[in-house]
Structures are given as structure tokens and as C-alpha cells.
Amino acid sequence: QVQLVESGGGLVQAGGSLRLSCVASGRTFSRYTMGWFRQAPGKDRQFVAANRWTDGLTDYADSVKGRFTISRDRAKSTVYLQMNSLKPEDTAVYYCAADTDFGLAYDAAGVYDYWGQGTQVTVSS
């Protein structure tokens, strides 16, 4: 069993930055594909970023590419999402997720086995 806990959300003005954290339980964290997703009111949960341990692949949604960075600290069992140049359209609840198998379809929410509770990010204009 894996538990994920997100933190770091809040209210920020457009152009500002936030750093989200996701702490994962267990000693196999370094083997997981880790993803970040977001969901705004009335919209589907959308892929934001992922890191696949099997080959080191890191990928981002087009809407955040160049602004967001996903990273890991294996010693702390933590994955981060650094968000820069935030826009009002980034406003959403952000979720971290862990895929405990191969993680081929890393941009699909359905492949992830565990999810955090979410943290709200609000970007004002």
C-alpha cells in the first residue's frame, strides 16, 4: 500500500511561482512512475507532468511545458512540481499519483494506482 500527501498549494498572482510537494510512503518510491494531474471545476482531470523511473523519461503537458518542472528527492520519498510563470488558467486542484508498474501510458490517469488528496492552486489575474 502507498500513501501520497500533497502540499504547497495556495493563492498566487499571475506570473508568480509555487512549489508543490508530494510525500510517498514506502521504500520502493524510486521505482514508481510519478505523475501530477490537475482538475478545475467542471472539467476532467488533466495530465500535467510525469517522471518514469524505468527510462528516466520526464514529460509535460503542452500547456505547462517550459514553465513547470517535476523532480524527485529519493532520500525524502518526495516528488516536487515547481510551477513558474503561473497563469489564471493553471487554477485547479493538483493531485500527485503513483504507478507501481511499468508506466507506459504515463499521461493517462487510469494507469496510476495511488492518488493523493489534492492541493488547491489559485492564480489571480
Side-chain angles (χ1 to χ4, degrees):
Q1 299 295 309
V2 175
Q3 296 182 41
L4 304 173
V5 180
E6 304 100 330
S7 63
L11 175 64
V12 64
Q13 65 183 7
S17 298
L18 286 172
R19 186 179 181 88
L20 306 184
S21 299
C22 175
V23 179
S25 66
R27 295 188 298 274
T28 59
F29 170 76
S30 63
R31 304 176 187 174
Y32 302 161
T33 296
M34 298 298 300
W36 285 96
F37 291 76
R38 66 188 183 187
Q39 188 166 23
K43 297 183 179 180
D44 294 334
R45 190 166 296 187
Q46 298 178 317
F47 170 73
V48 176
N51 174 258
R52 189 165 66 194
W53 79 269
T54 53
D55 59 0
L57 181 147
T58 299
D59 198 20
Y60 302 89
D62 288 343
S63 59
V64 307
K65 193 174 183 67
R67 300 187 295 122
F68 291 10
T69 303
I70 186 171
S71 61
R72 299 191 192 209
D73 185 334
R74 288 175 172 79
K76 296 180 180 179
S77 296
T78 301
V79 63
Y80 301 96
L81 185 69
Q82 178 67 46
M83 306 186 295
N84 298 326
S85 301
L86 283 161
K87 304 175 181 179
E89 51 263 45
D90 295 319
T91 295
V93 177
Y94 283 70
Y95 300 88
C96 67
D99 178 10
T100 59
D101 55 21
F102 194 69
L104 283 173
Y106 57 83
D107 59 344
V111 308
Y112 288 84
D113 302 298
Y114 301 98
W115 293 84
Q117 82 287 352
T119 185
Q120 176 71 47
V121 172
T122 303
V123 184
S124 64
S125 60

